[in-house]
Amino acid sequence: MEQSKSSRKVTVEYTDPSGIYTVISEDLQKRLPLRNLYWNSATRPLRSISSLHIELVQTGSSTSSSDPSERVNSAGRHGDAENAEDRDISRDNRPGSGVGVKKERRHQIPGLRQTPYLKIFFLRCSDVESYRATYRKQIREWIKGNTPPTQSTASVNTQEFHDAFEWLIVHVVLPDDGRSISRASTSKSENRNGLGGSSAVVEKLRADFNGSSKNAVDRVSLVQITRGPQPGQSQVSSDGWEDFIAKTKSLILSSFDLRVTQYEEDIKEREAQRNIPGWNFNTFFVLKEGLARGFESIGLVEDALNGYRELAVGLNTVIEGRDDKEQHREHFKHFTDDLSATLKNALQSEESHIGVDRQTVTTNSVTHDRNGRENRHILGANILDADKKPFREMILANEISVFDFQCYLFAREASLLLRLANATVPSDDDGSASGAPSDIPSKAASSESQNLLLLAEVCRQAIEFFSAAGRMIRDDLRSSVHPLSKGHTSGSPTTLTIFDGPIEDIIASWTYSACQCILDATNVLSLQTQLQPLLRSLKPTEEGHAHANNYFGPSTREELPRRISSLPKSTHASPKPLSPDEFPSITSLDAVRLLPPVSSQTGTQELAAQHAELVIMKRRIMVSVGDRSTDTSIKRAILAGRLSLSASDLEDISLDDTSSQYGRPEGSAKVSHGSAANGIQGIELNQNLRSESSFRQAYEELTVMALALNVLGGRRRSAESLTRDLAVIRYRLQDYISAASYFRQLSSFYYNNDWTRLEVPMLDLFAKCLKHINRLEDFCRTGLQIVSKTTSRPTLLPTPTELRFQNGPLNVDQYLQEVINISRSLERPVSTPLHLHFEGVHLDPYIRHLDEEDGFRMSLEVRNIMSAAVEAQGIRVKLVSIEEEQRCDIWITNQGPVLLQTGLNVIILQSTVMCPAWYRVERIEIQSANIVFTHDATSEASFDGLASSDGNPQLNSTHVLVWPDEKALEARLSLCKSIYLRKPRSIEILISSGRNKVSHGKLSVRACSAGLRLQTAETDVVSRNCLILQKAQAGNIEFGALDAQSNTIFRVPYSIESDLLKIKVRVEVSYTVEGQAYQYSCIGELPIQLPLSVNVQDSFQERSLFSNFKIDTANSVPMRIGDYRMDSTQAYQVALPPLCSAPLTIFARQPLSLVAKIRQGRSETVNTQTSLPPDRMLMLRIKYACVEHEISAAVDDALTEALLKSEFTDLSRLLVTVLGKSLRSSLSLQDLETVGLLGEIQTSSFEQQLWQPVLNGLHPDRREKVAKWLTNWQAENSAIALPQAIDSRNVLELMVPFEIPEIPIVVTGRLETFNCGGGPGEGRFAAMDHSLLAELSLSYSRHWSKSTDVGSENYALNITYEVHASPEIWLIGGQRKGHFSAKEGEVSRFPIILLPQKTGHLLYPSVEVHATKTGGSHRQSKDGEVEPADIVACEMDYVDQGDSILIVRDLSSSTVSLESSGPGGGAWLVESRSRSER
């Protein structure tokens, strides 16, 4: 029978009577394999074949035999023709030489033998005469003896289509065969002019053998061989080869199509006969396998694989009895010969080799290969070799066992998958004499070309098959000692006593070797490259490199062990332990960081995961064999690798009720009647079980390899489980550093999966390791985890019968006490979550003020769920203000050690820090020694134990309102009441000591606004009842003693670097009272925008200055002006009108206009006629109050007075402060204007929402009473009147400095009319259409200037004037525009004529004047105009500015007729007289 590897190629048989094949073989091999074939079947989709390998065999060396017993070598040999050119060609050309081939008798079962798809006749003939005389007869005889069914005219059996083939005649032309052919002929219709010799032979061949029909296939091809390049050579030879290759592909596919069609028909026929008595599955299997092998040979591996899978399903159907089991029982052998022989040798070794070393009793099975030679091999080592036994002959002879049948099917499917993956299938010929598979993948193809997903599929199917194979081997061996039928021959094995130990050992040996075989066959370079860094990280010594070599390059010789050395190693010779930072964490291992900087090939992760399963299977097999061993050292090694640490209890602890991976659970059949060495095969497995050290070393190596593969494969949980095994091993070997580094990776894994029964013992081992290596801080953390696991879930605590430790059951109380004692020696505290040890935490959200002290206290309830009491040296609760803009933290603590007994405990906490605000609980700490039980409310984890007063279990719902007692120290912020515009502004801090007699204190002021700079070094004390001790430190002012019930005001200047409307300042007052330190803190927001705006407009006269001050509100808030004044100085006399009614309220649209008359005063040192005094500054002082502030003060006073008379005196500061702030924020501008007009506040408009937030911070018992009292107070005080006079507490003073402007000259102008009516004290009038004679008189004065630039009083200036008037009102005649020179005080007059254009009161025309120095030059202005260089600034005092004259019509009387009988009818003018006629 042919080898399995021969089915990968298509056989092509050739006849070469001329011995020409050796000449063309080199050129032919260059064109092989055939590329790009397309098979189009009528019943299947179009198939594409990328490459087709063919095997050329010469006639007479066929690859098949007519009978199964005639097995010959399938490899065709043509080496005898190497020297064909040296032979006499004429001797080979004699008739019938090499042509007449005896026809072989075909087998009755199709598909058993491999026959050629194409037969080729190579012909060398130089002329037509030789062809006619010799070769035509030879070709006819060859065709007659090899005519396929498609060309035969006789009736043939359809079974011949299973071996259908085609034939082809190839005419080969050599250079010395006469004249070269210039153009090869490839069709019948070509032009024959100029062709002769060989071309004529080709034409004769086509005429004689191609047939005459139109659809006849051309079976003649011409190939010309050239000896190197020739001048003028055409493409004849190339075209010849292309024609030959094309015809070869077409004819092979034609033969293949015929075979497939016939196979499918026969398979369908045999399938329909399944239920007929006598139907044989084995015969059907060989038939259908012939179709699958045909697909494989042609390159359609997927179709072949589907065929084998269908056969596997059919075999399982027969075996499992879904068909008639009795009918098919006789078709299978009841046991396997080599397995039976192995068991027999093992049983015999039990009697003759008791006490012999494990290596000397290794038993190997003996079988025979396909040639009948004896083959000694290890069971399972060549599981992928489908030719290790004559399986197909055994199937036909019904002499194959179920186990061998399944192994053959698995080997064929795996081989096809490996071929699809571009990996070489290991076979017996590729390995050593023992049949061990060799490391072929590294030679066959590169990693990049291999499909790793298919290799992973091979491993997956192998794992499934190995799991079922153990059961089949067990049944097979038991059948060999208890035959199921009586028809056994004398050669059958002798009936032996049932011995479970050797049977299980044989199963383990077979599975162990088979796993290694699959690992070798699917090993690729890319997987090795990525595994090596991981192995070096897990085993950073030479041991790691050796272990990697064991895995990557397995030994192919049976007599050599796989490990570098078989000597036992010291248990303490462990690799250098990794620190926690160096050891790769399985939970967060960055595999890419450890891999080379190349992209991972697709499928690497899947292949690594499947390899990990195979390695774990090897480890499980080794443990199961050792568990059955009678060697106590091996049992100790197994015990060390398990989590159960008691020698009397070997039961594994389940992970979520899953079975252990080490073997069968306790109570299963594992009775050993002797040494387990009798059935063990393979040197590696025997060496691993030789001693305790060997077993431990092998166990750890397999675990490390599986761990690395699982990490690379992305199987986190499996990797964690393997890490646990390594940790326990290292712990038992007293390698505590390495064990601790492994245990560190497992804590989060078991916690996240809620495996408490495994987590607690793991943590216990971890803690013991940490204690041994003196990592006390980590020991405390781990011990606290153990305590938390046993306290939070006591029902899951392992009982002594479930889990035993070296020192007996786990003592939680002792653990807790030990952790606390050890923590005292630590440099820093160790934190642990509070909810793991305490529950039912309840913080009373209502504060209570301390008696006769500043501060407050709160109560905390906590339930200790630990079994032992804990002494807490410190219990703290952190309160954080809710408003992020006003961040403030308060810690409330206990006042001494507290013993927290098991159960409920109530602790009183207090604080001497006061910062009024709303707070939430952010953090709770309970400290015992250096152990701190903490809970951070800002974390995502919820704390179910903390509850609010209303039972809400959420921490954020617990809000606390903190406010000071009415007798406690208090600090308030405000702006300075006196504001001088040209000086730095200040803030005032009022400190009321209350009942406290402060010995000393410190005031800290911090800016909370960007751009605000506080100048604390210039701080002053307004009141003189306190001394500043030190203020050099920025932001801090230390002050001396304060008496009780005293008020001290600190004034701190500030500056701003940006435009701010409001500033925020944080004030902290740290003070000491009778040795006790206290602190008060608050944050104030102050509006710095001035509430008033003052604008001034000056109007100059010759001796007086009139300044018009406009005082308006800056923010639309009504203001009440209490007083204003402007003091006279030595240089100026100021006259202001008195305030008619004080206070005077101004509104946004009703400003105050104030006109001040300023005259120069008389001084002995200053000449008032020539210059002004040096001090030109005046000051306007305005005292005012904001209506908003007065409203707050009035409400505060009314509420405070009422509270002092009630039972809620202690709430005065809280209610007054909070309600006042809420009131100010609730008032609109319209409300403020209403109060400013009416002078009273309507409290009935206040909503209860103003005080509702405050009441929520009070105890429920007082909340209702306070709400009722506030409602009654509002009803009794429905209207609160503002005081008539401004309260001194609310008076603000604004000092506005201004400078008297300097004017060089003041020009006085008068416009006097002459011919108009009216006299002094009477209004002037004039008639329409009459001109008015007027005279403009101008003079100037230097009274408001002290500069001498304009000269002395005798110095003349050039004055230019111009009279302006609208042409619709006045027409101006005369000297409307002109200039003149005059001295100071000299009056110049200019006559003009005014002609009114309409009647009514008309304003006099305006006058504009300019002054320049006499004789001044001219200069170029910015606009390009020429103007005088010495311009003198001047102001115009136009006396008649704003005066008017009445213009009437020029009529003194008019007579009007009202009769209707007139010419025009109605009223008409009779007579009129002008004023001049009067």
Side-chain angles (χ1 to χ4, degrees), residues 849-855 914 963-972 991-998 1042-1047 1071 1073 1078 1080 1200 1203-1204 1206 1208-1214 1217:
H849 293 102
L850 301 179
D851 299 333
E852 300 302 327
E853 289 186 61
D854 293 355
M914 176 57 64
W963 76 94
D965 188 19
E966 77 281 0
K967 297 180 181 180
L969 182 140
E970 183 183 18
R972 293 184 181 180
I991 299 179
S992 300
S993 61
R995 61 167 169 249
N996 302 295
K997 187 175 182 180
V998 179
L1042 293 177
D1043 295 333
Q1045 306 299 330
S1046 63
N1047 295 329
Y1071 58 99
V1073 179
Y1078 300 90
Y1080 182 91
T1200 302
L1203 285 171
L1204 293 177
S1206 67
F1208 307 113
T1209 306
D1210 58 328
L1211 301 178
S1212 59
R1213 283 194 178 180
L1214 171 65
T1217 303

Side-chain angles (χ1 to χ4, degrees), residues 45 143 157 166 373 388 431 477 517 583 591 603 850 1151 1276 1286 1365:
I143 293 176
N157 189 354
E166 295 287 349
R373 297 190 299 268
K388 61 184 177 182
L477 292 175
C517 179
F583 185 79
L850 301 179
E1276 295 174 359
I1286 300 178

Side-chain angles (χ1 to χ4, degrees), residues 210 241 315 412 546 717 720 737 761 787 826 1129 1195 1284 1358:
N210 266 352
W241 278 112
L315 177 62
R412 294 296 297 139
R717 294 195 174 186
E720 294 285 0
I737 298 179
V787 175
L826 300 179
T1129 63
V1195 174
Q1284 293 295 330
N1358 290 330

